[in-house]
Amino acid sequence: MITEKLELSGGLYEKSIEKAAEILKSGGTVAIPTETVYGLAACANSDSAIKKVFAAKGRPQDNPLIVHISDMDMLYEIAANVPKQAVKCAEKFWPGPFTMVLKKTDKIADSVSRGLDTVAVRMPANKVACDIIRKSGPLAAPSANLSGKPSPTSAKHVIDDLDGKIDAVVMSGSCDYGVESTVVSLDGDTPRLLRPGAVTVEQLKEILPDIIIDKAVLAQPESGSKVASPGMKYKHYAPKTETYLVEGNSQAFADFVNSKKNSLAVCFYEDSDKIIINKLTYGSGNKEITLAQQIFSVLREVDNYGVSAVYVHAPSKSGVGLAVYNRLIRAASFRVISL
Ligand code: AMP
Ligand code: MG
């Protein structure tokens, strides 16, 4: 299969949006930009198209997909018994990097929810994504990476992973947030945070004061245990190089990594001057959104260094930092060193 590259610049915007929607409506797969990460889209009512998404990514068969919509009518088409607090969340956080898990209707292909009676729904803010969804209808779209690898935040990352495995990729710029959406389940008694993202716990508490943070957000689910969000039990975002997450202040982190041989430090701008071994910076420790924007592209570079270990300076767990920490602890296979 040849993956078509749909360019947006040079007056090609309308034509490429039209083409992307056409491919999707005829059962194909298209990688599209969103404000979180690039998604690999397929029509949410087509079992055969969804099958292609799982095959291209090598996605575990029990891991359900998020459905992306462009207006509230689409929400009521795919979700049943939408509770009041979901409507409030939609008013506050949509369009944006926020996903709700709700009871599903029969408009959703079984292959999207993988046997669950719920559906995860998001209304993205990215203009390209919205323009495509308006023409194609609701799109199931997981991150457009090979399963297990860091999520893609540029069209190049998508091509590196999926060239020849998908019908097309929409060539757009880098993603605004760089980490996947915040996922909250609202289908049971108490709202539960399943995955942290750019909509923070602090913001969620304004609408959902009793929200519970699922224990899988920061801890490794026990093997064989049932998890609220199937995606949380899989190894994720991991470089091949053995990765460790290191908690401590700037000086302690620098002293620790400087004593390591044949290693790479992934550090904050603020640490950089103190570090004398191989290093990659991934943003400012004081501005977590910069860490979110760069963490996946930095994790994609780690293996090029040919070192035996990589030590990543852990962000704070507040604000967007919690989302970055959640991805890194998985990249590090839950190996945390506290200095
Ligand atoms: P990704 O597709 O890579 O953005 O990951 C989507 C995340 O949402 C995964 O962790 C899924 O397990 C989770 N998810 C999707 N649908 C549901 C659902 N119906 N219930 C719980 N979690 C879900
Ligand atoms: Mg993913």
Side-chain angles (χ1 to χ4, degrees), residues 8-9 22 34-35 46 72 95 104-105 126 155 169-170 175 178 201 207 232 249 260 284-285 315 332 335:
L8 297 174
S9 52
E22 224 173 76
T34 83
E35 71 276 28
S46 167
M72 288 301 277
K104 76 177 182 107
T105 67
N126 180 284
V169 50
V170 179
C175 302
V201 172
I207 311 275
M232 286 193 290
N249 66 33
K260 298 290 175 191
S284 167
R335 287 181 290 248

Side-chain angles (χ1 to χ4, degrees), residues 20-339:
E22 224 173 76
I23 296 172
L24 289 161
K25 282 194 287 186
S26 59
T29 52
V30 182
I32 62 171
T34 83
E35 71 276 28
T36 57
V37 300
Y38 274 72
L40 177 56
C43 270
N45 61 9
S46 167
D47 274 320
S48 61
I50 303 296
K51 229 181 188 171
K52 294 179 192 168
V53 168
F54 276 81
K57 282 180 60 74
R59 186 170 175 99
Q61 291 296 325
D62 68 344
N63 196 4
L65 307 180
I66 295 173
V67 177
H68 294 70
I69 59 173
S70 58
D71 61 50
M72 288 301 277
D73 287 347
M74 290 187 190
L75 172 69
Y76 292 107
E77 222 176 275
I78 64 178
N81 313 325
V82 178
K84 251 203 191 110
Q85 51 190 0
V87 176
K88 277 193 185 168
C89 285
E91 283 166 5
K92 175 94 175 166
F93 302 124
W94 280 357
F98 175 74
T99 297
M100 300 191 271
V101 174
L102 300 165
K103 289 276 180 255
K104 76 177 182 107
T105 67
D106 58 9
K107 289 278 159 54
I108 289 297
D110 282 341
S111 51
V112 169
S113 286
R114 315 311 288 185
L116 301 175
D117 61 355
T118 52
V119 61
V121 194
R122 177 163 102 84
M123 189 189 292
N126 180 284
K127 178 174 160 41
V128 178
C130 292
D131 286 348
I132 294 171
I133 299 166
R134 263 193 288 277
K135 288 179 191 287
S136 65
L139 294 177
S143 49
N145 55 311
L146 288 172
S147 274
K149 285 195 57 171
S151 294
T153 52
S154 71
K156 179 182 181 297
H157 295 160
V158 176
I159 292 164
D160 287 347
D161 278 14
L162 299 177
D163 199 18
K165 297 185 167 168
I166 60 177
D167 291 303
V169 50
V170 179
M171 304 298 288
S172 191
S174 311
C175 302
D176 291 344
Y177 295 113
V179 286
E180 308 90 334
S181 59
T182 302
V183 181
V184 172
S185 75
L186 290 170
D187 63 318
D189 291 340
T190 311
R192 181 179 289 267
L193 175 70
L194 302 182
R195 179 173 74 185
V199 168
T200 64
V201 172
E202 295 81 350
Q203 289 171 308
L204 290 170
K205 282 192 171 158
E206 289 172 24
I207 311 275
L208 306 168
D210 54 344
I211 190 165
I212 296 169
I213 299 183
D214 196 277
K215 58 181 189 307
V217 166
L218 287 175
Q220 184 167 27
E222 279 165 37
S223 80
S225 68
K226 190 173 180 303
V227 289
S229 184
M232 286 193 290
K233 65 179 187 250
Y234 292 107
K235 190 168 173 179
H236 249 126
Y237 319 117
K240 293 197 182 75
T241 316
E242 199 157 282
T243 302
Y244 296 84
L245 188 57
V246 183
E247 300 182 24
N249 66 33
S250 191
Q251 192 60 54
F253 178 76
D255 291 344
F256 175 80
V257 294
N258 284 341
S259 70
K260 298 290 175 191
K261 299 235 160 36
N262 195 26
S263 295
L264 170 71
V266 173
C267 64
F268 305 148
Y269 296 143
E270 296 81 0
D271 310 327
S272 187
D273 284 351
K274 306 181 198 94
I275 293 174
I276 55 170
I277 66 165
N278 295 310
K279 64 193 162 192
L280 279 170
T281 56
Y282 76 111
S284 167
N286 304 318
K287 216 169 165 212
E288 285 94 3
I289 187 67
T290 61
L291 303 173
Q293 285 160 343
Q294 296 176 70
I295 187 56
F296 286 140
S297 60
V298 166
L299 286 176
R300 279 176 178 262
E301 282 178 52
V302 160
D303 291 332
N304 300 335
Y305 282 76
V307 293
S308 56
V310 51
Y311 298 94
V312 185
H313 198 173
S316 89
K317 292 179 204 149
S318 63
V320 185
L322 182 67
V324 181
Y325 194 103
N326 167 272
R327 306 315 189 265
L328 282 171
I329 202 171
R330 285 170 167 75
S333 303
F334 295 89
R335 287 181 290 248
V336 180
I337 297 168
S338 289
L339 300 175

